[in-house]
Amino acid sequence: MSNKPDLTKFRKTLFWDTTFDRIDFTAHSRYVINRVFERGTEEEILEIIRFYGIETIKNEIRLDSKSPFERKIRENLEKYIY
C-alpha cells in the first residue's frame, strides 16, 4: 500500500481546515475517512475505500448522533460498504 491515496481524486476544499499537502494519511486515517464519508463525492469515497480497504474503514468510522453529518455518513456506509 502506498502511503497516500491518489490525490488527484480529491478536492482540496474537502480538507479546508488543514494543509492538504501535509496530511499524513496513515497517522490521520480516522480524520480522513470520516471527512470523506461526511462530505465526499463518489469518486473521493471510492478512492478512500481503495486506499484503506473496507475493514479499516469499518474500524475507523465514527458515528455521532450530535453530528449534522451522521445521516450522510450512514447513507454512504450503506451505499458503499454494507
Side-chain angles (χ1 to χ4, degrees), residues 63 69-79:
L63 296 170
F69 297 102
E70 181 188 23
R71 182 174 171 203
K72 184 65 174 176
I73 292 171
R74 286 186 188 279
E75 288 172 0
N76 283 330
L77 285 171
E78 289 176 17
K79 182 174 181 180

Side-chain angles (χ1 to χ4, degrees), residues 13-31:
T13 57
L14 181 62
F15 300 99
W16 75 91
D17 56 343
T18 191
T19 304
F20 182 77
D21 300 326
R22 298 178 99 191
I23 296 172
D24 182 332
F25 286 87
T26 303
H28 300 113
S29 59
R30 181 171 291 163
Y31 160 77

